[in-house]
CSV table of all heavy atoms in Angstrom, one decimal:
chain,number,residue,atom,x,y,z
A,87,ARG,N,127.5,89.0,77.3
A,87,ARG,CA,127.0,88.6,76.0
A,87,ARG,C,127.3,89.7,75.0
A,87,ARG,O,127.7,89.5,73.8
A,87,ARG,CB,125.5,88.3,76.0
A,87,ARG,CG,125.2,86.9,76.5
A,87,ARG,CD,126.0,85.8,75.9
A,87,ARG,NE,126.0,85.8,74.4
A,87,ARG,CZ,126.9,85.3,73.7
A,87,ARG,NH1,128.0,84.8,74.2
A,87,ARG,NH2,126.8,85.4,72.3
A,88,LEU,N,127.0,91.0,75.4
A,88,LEU,CA,127.2,92.1,74.4
A,88,LEU,C,128.7,92.2,74.1
A,88,LEU,O,129.1,92.6,72.9
A,88,LEU,CB,126.6,93.4,75.0
A,88,LEU,CG,125.1,93.4,75.1
A,88,LEU,CD1,124.6,94.7,75.7
A,88,LEU,CD2,124.4,93.2,73.8
A,89,ALA,N,129.5,92.0,75.0
A,89,ALA,CA,131.0,92.1,74.8
A,89,ALA,C,131.4,91.0,73.8
A,89,ALA,O,132.2,91.2,72.9
A,89,ALA,CB,131.8,92.0,76.1
A,90,THR,N,130.9,89.8,74.0
A,90,THR,CA,131.2,88.7,73.1
A,90,THR,C,130.7,89.0,71.7
A,90,THR,O,131.4,88.7,70.7
A,90,THR,CB,130.7,87.4,73.7
A,90,THR,OG1,131.1,87.2,75.0
A,90,THR,CG2,131.0,86.2,72.8
A,91,ILE,N,129.4,89.4,71.6
A,91,ILE,CA,128.9,89.7,70.2
A,91,ILE,C,129.7,90.8,69.6
A,91,ILE,O,130.0,90.7,68.3
A,91,ILE,CB,127.4,90.1,70.3
A,91,ILE,CG1,126.5,89.0,70.9
A,91,ILE,CG2,126.9,90.6,68.9
A,91,ILE,CD1,125.2,89.5,71.2
A,92,ALA,N,130.1,91.9,70.3
A,92,ALA,CA,130.9,92.9,69.7
A,92,ALA,C,132.3,92.4,69.3
A,92,ALA,O,132.8,92.8,68.2
A,92,ALA,CB,131.1,94.0,70.7
A,93,GLU,N,132.8,91.5,70.0
A,93,GLU,CA,134.2,91.0,69.7
A,93,GLU,C,134.2,90.1,68.6
A,93,GLU,O,135.1,90.1,67.7
A,93,GLU,CB,134.6,90.3,71.0
A,93,GLU,CG,136.1,90.5,71.4
A,93,GLU,CD,136.3,89.9,72.8
A,93,GLU,OE1,136.5,88.6,72.9
A,93,GLU,OE2,136.2,90.5,73.9
A,94,THR,N,133.2,89.1,68.5
A,94,THR,CA,133.3,88.1,67.5
A,94,THR,C,132.5,88.5,66.3
A,94,THR,O,132.6,87.8,65.2
A,94,THR,CB,132.7,86.8,68.1
A,94,THR,OG1,131.3,87.0,68.5
A,94,THR,CG2,133.4,86.2,69.3
A,95,GLY,N,131.5,89.4,66.4
A,95,GLY,CA,130.6,89.8,65.3
A,95,GLY,C,129.6,88.6,65.1
A,95,GLY,O,128.9,88.8,64.0
A,96,MET,N,129.5,87.8,66.0
A,96,MET,CA,128.5,86.7,65.8
A,96,MET,C,127.4,86.7,66.9
A,96,MET,O,127.6,86.9,68.0
A,96,MET,CB,129.2,85.3,66.0
A,96,MET,CG,130.4,85.1,64.9
A,96,MET,SD,129.7,85.1,63.2
A,96,MET,CE,129.0,83.4,63.2
A,97,LEU,N,126.2,86.4,66.4
A,97,LEU,CA,125.0,86.3,67.3
A,97,LEU,C,124.6,84.8,67.3
A,97,LEU,O,124.6,84.1,66.4
A,97,LEU,CB,123.9,87.1,66.7
A,97,LEU,CG,122.5,87.1,67.3
A,97,LEU,CD1,122.5,88.1,68.5
A,97,LEU,CD2,121.4,87.5,66.3
A,98,GLN,N,124.2,84.4,68.6
A,98,GLN,CA,123.8,83.0,68.7
A,98,GLN,C,122.2,83.1,68.7
A,98,GLN,O,121.5,83.3,69.7
A,98,GLN,CB,124.2,82.4,70.1
A,98,GLN,CG,125.7,82.2,70.2
A,98,GLN,CD,126.2,81.2,69.3
A,98,GLN,OE1,125.6,80.2,69.0
A,98,GLN,NE2,127.4,81.4,68.8
A,99,LEU,N,121.6,82.9,67.4
A,99,LEU,CA,120.2,83.1,67.3
A,99,LEU,C,119.5,82.0,68.0
A,99,LEU,O,119.8,80.8,67.9
A,99,LEU,CB,119.9,82.9,65.8
A,99,LEU,CG,118.4,83.2,65.4
A,99,LEU,CD1,117.9,84.6,65.9
A,99,LEU,CD2,118.2,83.0,63.9
A,100,ALA,N,118.6,82.4,68.9
A,100,ALA,CA,117.8,81.4,69.7
A,100,ALA,C,118.7,80.6,70.6
A,100,ALA,O,118.4,79.5,71.0
A,100,ALA,CB,116.8,80.6,69.0
A,101,GLY,N,119.9,81.1,70.8
A,101,GLY,CA,121.0,80.4,71.6
A,101,GLY,C,121.5,79.1,70.9
A,101,GLY,O,122.2,78.3,71.5
A,102,ALA,N,121.2,79.0,69.6
A,102,ALA,CA,121.6,77.7,68.9
A,102,ALA,C,122.3,77.9,67.6
A,102,ALA,O,123.2,77.1,67.3
A,102,ALA,CB,120.4,76.9,68.7
A,103,VAL,N,122.0,78.9,66.8
A,103,VAL,CA,122.6,79.0,65.4
A,103,VAL,C,123.5,80.4,65.4
A,103,VAL,O,122.9,81.4,65.6
A,103,VAL,CB,121.4,79.1,64.4
A,103,VAL,CG1,122.0,79.4,63.0
A,103,VAL,CG2,120.7,77.8,64.3
A,104,ALA,N,124.7,80.2,65.1
A,104,ALA,CA,125.6,81.3,65.0
A,104,ALA,C,125.4,82.0,63.7
A,104,ALA,O,125.5,81.4,62.6
A,104,ALA,CB,127.1,80.8,65.2
A,105,LEU,N,125.2,83.3,63.8
A,105,LEU,CA,125.0,84.1,62.5
A,105,LEU,C,125.9,85.4,62.7
A,105,LEU,O,126.0,86.0,63.8
A,105,LEU,CB,123.6,84.7,62.4
A,105,LEU,CG,122.5,83.6,62.0
A,105,LEU,CD1,121.2,84.4,62.0
A,105,LEU,CD2,122.8,83.1,60.6
A,106,PRO,N,126.5,85.8,61.6
A,106,PRO,CA,127.2,87.0,61.7
A,106,PRO,C,126.2,88.2,61.7
A,106,PRO,O,125.5,88.5,60.7
A,106,PRO,CB,128.1,87.1,60.3
A,106,PRO,CG,127.3,86.2,59.4
A,106,PRO,CD,126.6,85.2,60.2
A,107,TYR,N,126.1,88.9,62.8
A,107,TYR,CA,125.1,89.9,63.0
A,107,TYR,C,125.4,90.8,64.1
A,107,TYR,O,125.9,90.4,65.2
A,107,TYR,CB,123.7,89.3,63.1
A,107,TYR,CG,122.6,90.3,62.8
A,107,TYR,CD1,122.1,90.5,61.5
A,107,TYR,CD2,122.0,91.1,63.8
A,107,TYR,CE1,121.2,91.4,61.1
A,107,TYR,CE2,121.0,92.1,63.5
A,107,TYR,CZ,120.6,92.1,62.1
A,107,TYR,OH,119.6,93.1,61.8
A,108,GLY,N,125.1,92.1,64.0
A,108,GLY,CA,125.4,93.0,65.0
A,108,GLY,C,124.5,94.3,64.9
A,108,GLY,O,123.7,94.3,64.0
A,109,VAL,N,124.7,95.2,65.8
A,109,VAL,CA,124.0,96.4,65.9
A,109,VAL,C,124.0,97.2,64.5
A,109,VAL,O,122.9,97.6,63.9
A,109,VAL,CB,124.5,97.4,67.0
A,109,VAL,CG1,123.9,98.8,66.8
A,109,VAL,CG2,124.1,96.9,68.3
A,110,LYS,N,125.1,97.2,63.8
A,110,LYS,CA,125.2,98.0,62.6
A,110,LYS,C,124.4,97.4,61.5
A,110,LYS,O,124.1,98.0,60.4
A,110,LYS,CB,126.7,98.1,62.2
A,110,LYS,CG,127.4,96.8,61.9
A,110,LYS,CD,128.8,97.0,61.5
A,110,LYS,CE,129.5,95.7,61.1
A,110,LYS,NZ,128.8,94.4,61.3
A,111,ASP,N,124.0,96.1,61.6
A,111,ASP,CA,123.2,95.4,60.5
A,111,ASP,C,121.8,95.8,60.5
A,111,ASP,O,121.0,95.4,59.6
A,111,ASP,CB,123.5,93.9,60.6
A,111,ASP,CG,124.9,93.5,60.5
A,111,ASP,OD1,125.6,94.0,59.5
A,111,ASP,OD2,125.4,92.8,61.3
A,112,MET,N,121.3,96.4,61.6
A,112,MET,CA,119.9,96.7,61.7
A,112,MET,C,119.5,97.8,60.8
A,112,MET,O,120.3,98.7,60.6
A,112,MET,CB,119.5,97.0,63.2
A,112,MET,CG,119.7,95.8,64.1
A,112,MET,SD,119.1,96.1,65.7
A,112,MET,CE,119.8,94.6,66.6
A,113,VAL,N,118.3,97.7,60.2
A,113,VAL,CA,117.8,98.7,59.2
A,113,VAL,C,117.0,99.7,60.0
A,113,VAL,O,115.9,99.4,60.6
A,113,VAL,CB,117.0,98.0,58.1
A,113,VAL,CG1,116.6,99.1,57.1
A,113,VAL,CG2,117.8,97.0,57.5
A,114,LEU,N,117.4,101.0,60.0
A,114,LEU,CA,116.7,102.0,60.8
A,114,LEU,C,115.8,102.8,59.8
A,114,LEU,O,116.3,103.4,58.9
A,114,LEU,CB,117.7,102.9,61.5
A,114,LEU,CG,118.7,102.2,62.3
A,114,LEU,CD1,119.6,103.3,63.1
A,114,LEU,CD2,118.1,101.3,63.4
A,115,ARG,N,114.5,103.0,60.2
A,115,ARG,CA,113.5,103.7,59.4
A,115,ARG,C,112.8,104.8,60.3
A,115,ARG,O,111.6,104.6,60.6
A,115,ARG,CB,112.5,102.8,58.8
A,115,ARG,CG,113.2,101.8,58.0
A,115,ARG,CD,112.3,100.7,57.5
A,115,ARG,NE,112.8,99.9,56.4
A,115,ARG,CZ,112.2,99.5,55.3
A,115,ARG,NH1,110.9,99.8,55.2
A,115,ARG,NH2,112.8,98.8,54.5
A,116,PRO,N,113.6,105.8,60.8
A,116,PRO,CA,112.9,106.7,61.8
A,116,PRO,C,111.8,107.5,61.2
A,116,PRO,O,110.9,107.9,61.9
A,116,PRO,CB,114.2,107.6,62.1
A,116,PRO,CG,115.1,107.5,61.0
A,116,PRO,CD,115.0,106.1,60.5
A,117,LEU,N,111.7,107.7,59.8
A,117,LEU,CA,110.6,108.5,59.3
A,117,LEU,C,109.5,107.6,58.9
A,117,LEU,O,108.4,108.1,58.5
A,117,LEU,CB,111.1,109.3,58.0
A,117,LEU,CG,112.3,110.2,58.4
A,117,LEU,CD1,112.7,110.9,57.1
A,117,LEU,CD2,111.9,111.2,59.5
A,118,THR,N,109.6,106.4,59.1
A,118,THR,CA,108.4,105.4,58.7
A,118,THR,C,107.7,105.0,60.0
A,118,THR,O,108.3,104.4,60.9
A,118,THR,CB,108.9,104.2,58.0
A,118,THR,OG1,109.6,104.6,56.8
A,118,THR,CG2,107.7,103.4,57.5
A,119,VAL,N,106.4,105.4,60.2
A,119,VAL,CA,105.7,105.0,61.3
A,119,VAL,C,104.6,104.0,60.9
A,119,VAL,O,103.8,104.4,60.0
A,119,VAL,CB,105.1,106.3,62.0
A,119,VAL,CG1,104.2,105.8,63.2
A,119,VAL,CG2,106.2,107.2,62.6
A,120,LEU,N,104.6,102.9,61.4
A,120,LEU,CA,103.6,101.8,61.0
A,120,LEU,C,102.3,102.2,61.7
A,120,LEU,O,102.2,102.9,62.7
A,120,LEU,CB,104.1,100.4,61.6
A,120,LEU,CG,105.4,99.9,61.1
A,120,LEU,CD1,105.7,98.5,61.6
A,120,LEU,CD2,105.4,99.9,59.5
A,121,PRO,N,101.2,101.8,61.0
A,121,PRO,CA,99.9,102.3,61.5
A,121,PRO,C,99.5,102.1,62.9
A,121,PRO,O,98.9,102.9,63.6
A,121,PRO,CB,98.9,101.5,60.6
A,121,PRO,CG,99.8,101.1,59.4
A,121,PRO,CD,101.1,101.0,59.9
A,122,ARG,N,99.9,100.9,63.5
A,122,ARG,CA,99.5,100.6,64.8
A,122,ARG,C,100.2,101.5,65.9
A,122,ARG,O,99.5,101.9,66.9
A,122,ARG,CB,99.7,99.1,65.1
A,122,ARG,CG,99.5,98.6,66.5
A,122,ARG,CD,98.1,98.8,67.0
A,122,ARG,NE,97.8,98.4,68.4
A,122,ARG,CZ,98.1,99.1,69.5
A,122,ARG,NH1,98.7,100.2,69.4
A,122,ARG,NH2,97.9,98.6,70.7
A,123,HIS,N,101.4,101.7,65.7
A,123,HIS,CA,102.2,102.4,66.8
A,123,HIS,C,103.6,102.8,66.3
A,123,HIS,O,104.1,102.2,65.4
A,123,HIS,CB,102.4,101.4,68.0
A,123,HIS,CG,102.8,102.0,69.3
A,123,HIS,ND1,104.1,102.4,69.6
A,123,HIS,CD2,102.1,102.2,70.4
A,123,HIS,CE1,104.2,102.9,70.8
A,123,HIS,NE2,102.9,102.8,71.3
A,124,THR,N,104.1,103.9,66.9
A,124,THR,CA,105.4,104.4,66.4
A,124,THR,C,106.6,103.5,66.7
A,124,THR,O,107.6,103.6,66.2
A,124,THR,CB,105.6,105.8,67.0
A,124,THR,OG1,106.9,106.3,66.4
A,124,THR,CG2,105.6,105.8,68.4
A,125,ASN,N,106.4,102.6,67.8
A,125,ASN,CA,107.5,101.7,68.2
A,125,ASN,C,107.4,100.4,67.5
A,125,ASN,O,107.0,99.3,68.1
A,125,ASN,CB,107.5,101.5,69.7
A,125,ASN,CG,107.9,102.7,70.5
A,125,ASN,OD1,108.6,103.6,69.9
A,125,ASN,ND2,107.5,102.7,71.7
A,126,GLY,N,107.6,100.3,66.2
A,126,GLY,CA,107.4,99.1,65.4
A,126,GLY,C,108.8,98.4,65.1
A,126,GLY,O,109.8,99.1,65.0
A,127,MET,N,108.7,97.1,65.0
A,127,MET,CA,110.0,96.4,64.6
A,127,MET,C,109.5,95.1,63.9
A,127,MET,O,108.5,94.5,64.3
A,127,MET,CB,110.8,96.0,65.8
A,127,MET,CG,110.3,95.0,66.8
A,127,MET,SD,110.8,95.3,68.5
A,127,MET,CE,109.3,95.9,69.2
A,128,THR,N,110.3,94.8,62.8
A,128,THR,CA,110.1,93.5,62.1
A,128,THR,C,111.3,92.6,62.1
A,128,THR,O,112.5,93.1,61.8
A,128,THR,CB,109.7,93.9,60.6
A,128,THR,OG1,108.5,94.7,60.6
A,128,THR,CG2,109.4,92.6,59.8
A,129,PHE,N,111.1,91.4,62.4
A,129,PHE,CA,112.2,90.4,62.3
A,129,PHE,C,111.9,89.4,61.2
A,129,PHE,O,110.8,89.0,61.0
A,129,PHE,CB,112.2,89.6,63.6
A,129,PHE,CG,112.3,90.4,64.8
A,129,PHE,CD1,111.2,90.6,65.8
A,129,PHE,CD2,113.5,91.1,65.2
A,129,PHE,CE1,111.3,91.3,66.9
A,129,PHE,CE2,113.5,91.9,66.4
A,129,PHE,CZ,112.4,92.0,67.1
A,130,THR,N,113.0,89.2,60.3
A,130,THR,CA,112.8,88.3,59.2
A,130,THR,C,114.0,87.3,59.2
A,130,THR,O,115.1,87.9,59.2
A,130,THR,CB,112.6,89.1,57.9
A,130,THR,OG1,111.6,90.0,58.1
A,130,THR,CG2,112.3,88.1,56.7
A,131,VAL,N,113.7,86.0,59.0
A,131,VAL,CA,114.8,85.1,58.7
A,131,VAL,C,114.7,84.4,57.4
A,131,VAL,O,113.5,84.1,57.0
A,131,VAL,CB,115.1,84.1,59.9
A,131,VAL,CG1,115.6,84.7,61.1
A,131,VAL,CG2,113.7,83.4,60.2
A,132,SER,N,115.8,84.1,56.7
A,132,SER,CA,115.7,83.5,55.4
A,132,SER,C,116.7,82.4,55.3
A,132,SER,O,117.6,82.3,56.1
A,132,SER,CB,116.0,84.5,54.3
A,132,SER,OG,115.2,85.7,54.4
A,133,ASP,N,116.5,81.5,54.3
A,133,ASP,CA,117.4,80.4,54.2
A,133,ASP,C,118.5,80.8,53.2
A,133,ASP,O,118.6,82.0,52.8
A,133,ASP,CB,116.7,79.1,53.7
A,133,ASP,CG,116.1,79.3,52.3
A,133,ASP,OD1,116.5,80.3,51.6
A,133,ASP,OD2,115.2,78.5,51.9
A,134,ALA,N,119.4,79.9,52.8
A,134,ALA,CA,120.6,80.2,52.0
A,134,ALA,C,120.2,80.7,50.6
A,134,ALA,O,121.0,81.4,50.0
A,134,ALA,CB,121.5,78.9,51.9
A,135,ASP,N,119.0,80.3,50.2
A,135,ASP,CA,118.6,80.7,48.8
A,135,ASP,C,117.8,82.1,48.9
A,135,ASP,O,117.2,82.5,47.9
A,135,ASP,CB,117.6,79.7,48.2
A,135,ASP,CG,118.4,78.4,47.9
A,135,ASP,OD1,119.6,78.5,47.6
A,135,ASP,OD2,117.8,77.4,48.1
A,136,GLY,N,117.6,82.6,50.1
A,136,GLY,CA,116.9,83.9,50.2
A,136,GLY,C,115.5,83.7,50.4
A,136,GLY,O,114.7,84.8,50.4
A,137,ASN,N,115.0,82.6,50.6
A,137,ASN,CA,113.5,82.4,50.9
A,137,ASN,C,113.2,82.7,52.3
A,137,ASN,O,114.0,82.2,53.2
A,137,ASN,CB,113.2,80.9,50.6
A,137,ASN,CG,113.5,80.4,49.2
A,137,ASN,OD1,113.1,81.1,48.3
A,137,ASN,ND2,114.2,79.4,49.0
A,138,VAL,N,112.2,83.5,52.5
A,138,VAL,CA,111.8,83.9,53.9
A,138,VAL,C,111.2,82.6,54.6
A,138,VAL,O,110.3,82.0,54.1
A,138,VAL,CB,110.8,85.0,53.8
A,138,VAL,CG1,110.2,85.3,55.3
A,138,VAL,CG2,111.4,86.3,53.3
A,139,LEU,N,111.8,82.3,55.8
A,139,LEU,CA,111.4,81.2,56.6
A,139,LEU,C,110.3,81.7,57.6
A,139,LEU,O,109.4,80.9,57.9
A,139,LEU,CB,112.5,80.6,57.3
A,139,LEU,CG,113.6,79.9,56.4
A,139,LEU,CD1,114.7,79.5,57.2
A,139,LEU,CD2,113.0,78.7,55.6
A,140,HIS,N,110.5,82.8,58.1
A,140,HIS,CA,109.6,83.3,59.2
A,140,HIS,C,109.8,84.9,59.2
A,140,HIS,O,111.0,85.3,59.2
A,140,HIS,CB,109.9,82.7,60.5
A,140,HIS,CG,108.9,83.0,61.6
A,140,HIS,ND1,107.5,82.9,61.4
A,140,HIS,CD2,109.1,83.3,62.9
A,140,HIS,CE1,106.9,83.3,62.5
A,140,HIS,NE2,107.9,83.6,63.5
A,141,SER,N,108.7,85.6,59.4
A,141,SER,CA,108.8,87.1,59.6
A,141,SER,C,107.7,87.4,60.6
A,141,SER,O,106.5,86.8,60.6
A,141,SER,CB,108.6,87.7,58.3
A,141,SER,OG,108.7,89.1,58.5
A,142,ALA,N,107.9,88.4,61.4
A,142,ALA,CA,106.9,88.9,62.4
A,142,ALA,C,107.2,90.4,62.7
A,142,ALA,O,108.3,90.8,62.8
A,142,ALA,CB,106.9,88.1,63.6
A,143,THR,N,106.1,91.1,62.9
A,143,THR,CA,106.2,92.5,63.2
A,143,THR,C,105.6,92.7,64.6
A,143,THR,O,104.5,92.2,64.8
A,143,THR,CB,105.5,93.5,62.3
A,143,THR,OG1,106.2,93.3,61.0
A,143,THR,CG2,105.5,94.9,62.7
A,144,PHE,N,106.3,93.4,65.5
A,144,PHE,CA,105.7,93.6,66.9
A,144,PHE,C,105.7,95.1,67.1
A,144,PHE,O,106.5,95.9,66.5
A,144,PHE,CB,106.6,93.0,67.9
A,144,PHE,CG,106.6,91.5,67.8
A,144,PHE,CD1,107.5,90.9,67.0
A,144,PHE,CD2,105.8,90.7,68.6
A,144,PHE,CE1,107.7,89.4,67.0
A,144,PHE,CE2,105.8,89.3,68.6
A,144,PHE,CZ,106.8,88.7,67.7
A,145,PHE,N,104.9,95.5,68.0
A,145,PHE,CA,104.9,96.9,68.5
A,145,PHE,C,105.2,96.9,70.0
A,145,PHE,O,104.6,96.0,70.8
A,145,PHE,CB,103.5,97.5,68.3
A,145,PHE,CG,103.1,97.6,66.8
A,145,PHE,CD1,102.2,96.7,66.3
A,145,PHE,CD2,103.8,98.5,66.0
A,145,PHE,CE1,101.9,96.6,65.0
A,145,PHE,CE2,103.4,98.4,64.6
A,145,PHE,CZ,102.5,97.6,64.1
A,146,SER,N,106.0,97.8,70.4
A,146,SER,CA,106.3,97.9,71.9
A,146,SER,C,105.4,99.1,72.3
A,146,SER,O,105.7,100.3,72.0
A,146,SER,CB,107.8,98.2,72.1
A,146,SER,OG,108.0,98.5,73.4
A,147,VAL,N,104.4,98.8,73.1
A,147,VAL,CA,103.3,99.8,73.3
A,147,VAL,C,103.4,100.5,74.6
A,147,VAL,O,102.4,101.2,75.1
A,147,VAL,CB,101.9,99.1,73.1
A,147,VAL,CG1,101.7,98.7,71.7
A,147,VAL,CG2,101.6,98.0,74.1
A,148,GLY,N,104.6,100.4,75.3
A,148,GLY,CA,104.8,101.1,76.6
A,148,GLY,C,104.8,100.1,77.8
A,148,GLY,O,104.1,99.1,77.8
A,149,GLY,N,105.6,100.4,78.8
A,149,GLY,CA,105.7,99.6,80.0
A,149,GLY,C,106.2,98.2,79.8
A,149,GLY,O,106.0,97.4,80.7
A,150,GLY,N,106.9,98.0,78.6
A,150,GLY,CA,107.3,96.6,78.4
A,150,GLY,C,106.3,95.8,77.7
A,150,GLY,O,106.6,94.6,77.4
A,151,PHE,N,105.1,96.3,77.5
A,151,PHE,CA,104.0,95.5,76.9
A,151,PHE,C,104.3,95.4,75.4
A,151,PHE,O,104.7,96.4,74.7
A,151,PHE,CB,102.6,96.1,77.0
A,151,PHE,CG,102.2,96.0,78.5
A,151,PHE,CD1,102.5,96.9,79.4
A,151,PHE,CD2,101.3,95.0,78.9
A,151,PHE,CE1,102.0,96.9,80.7
A,151,PHE,CE2,100.9,94.9,80.2
A,151,PHE,CZ,101.2,95.9,81.1
Side-chain angles (χ1 to χ4, degrees):
R87 280 312 306 155
L88 291 179
T90 304
I91 295 169
E93 223 170 81
T94 62
M96 299 297 283
L97 176 81
Q98 295 294 324
L99 186 61
V103 172
L105 285 179
Y107 201 83
V109 166
K110 63 178 181 357
D111 299 310
M112 294 186 190
V113 182
L114 305 185
R115 302 169 167 223
L117 300 179
T118 305
V119 176
L120 300 182
R122 171 65 179 78
H123 197 281
T124 180
N125 290 338
M127 70 207 107
T128 301
F129 305 109
T130 308
V131 287
S132 305
D133 64 16
D135 296 325
N137 301 310
V138 172
L139 296 174
H140 187 46
S141 181
T143 294
F144 295 89
F145 302 102
S146 177
V147 297
F151 292 85

